[in-house]
């Protein structure tokens, strides 16, 4: 079984952290949480995308990222009357911004 040493090198020795094929992919979230072979829901939780989202509601469009392209897409979609959910992890508004046209 291959292993990863503390320096991040992959080797065949017994040192380091062993990784089984069934554990791949391995995702490190915010340098604190290690997810081994995560489900999409576990990934979303690890990245902080599932907080305070009403799962009973269906949106016409979900936009991830409120940079220039995301905001532009949200404005145009709202102008067309679509129900939008804009998700951004770096906002003071808790990262969720429902937009209604």
């Amino acid at each position: 079984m291959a292993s990863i040493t503390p320096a991040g090198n992959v080797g065949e020795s017994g040192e380091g952290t062993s990784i089984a094929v069934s554990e791949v992919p391995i995702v490190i979230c915010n340098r604190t949480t290690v997810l081994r072979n995560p489900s999409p829901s576990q990934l979303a939780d690890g990245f902080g995308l599932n907080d305070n989202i009403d799962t009973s509601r269906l949106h016409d469009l979900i936009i991830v990222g409120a940079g220039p392209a995301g905001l532009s897409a949200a404005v145009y979609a709202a102008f067309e009357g679509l129900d939008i959910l804009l998700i951004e992890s770096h906002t003071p508004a808790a990262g969720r911004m429902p937009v209604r046209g």
Side-chain angles (χ1 to χ4, degrees):
M1 178 186 302
S3 63
I4 297 180
T5 65
N9 301 319
V10 177
E12 293 295 326
S13 68
E15 314 174 359
T17 304
S18 296
I19 300 172
V21 173
S22 62
E23 296 178 312
V24 175
I26 294 178
V27 180
I28 301 172
C29 301
N30 298 321
R31 297 182 182 184
T32 58
T33 305
V34 177
L35 303 174
R36 295 173 187 258
N37 193 14
S39 68
S41 179
Q42 290 170 322
L43 277 175
D45 285 339
F47 293 132
L49 297 178
N50 284 342
D51 298 339
N52 303 322
I53 293 179
D54 183 2
T55 58
S56 66
R57 185 157 176 217
L58 181 65
H59 297 279
D60 295 320
L61 180 63
I62 297 174
I63 300 170
V64 179
L71 288 175
S72 181
V75 167
Y76 283 107
F79 180 74
E80 294 297 323
L82 298 177
D83 183 30
I84 315 282
L85 176 63
L86 179 59
I87 299 174
E88 172 60 52
S89 64
H90 300 292
T91 65
R96 293 0 162 224
M97 202 180 306
V99 179
R100 298 202 175 107

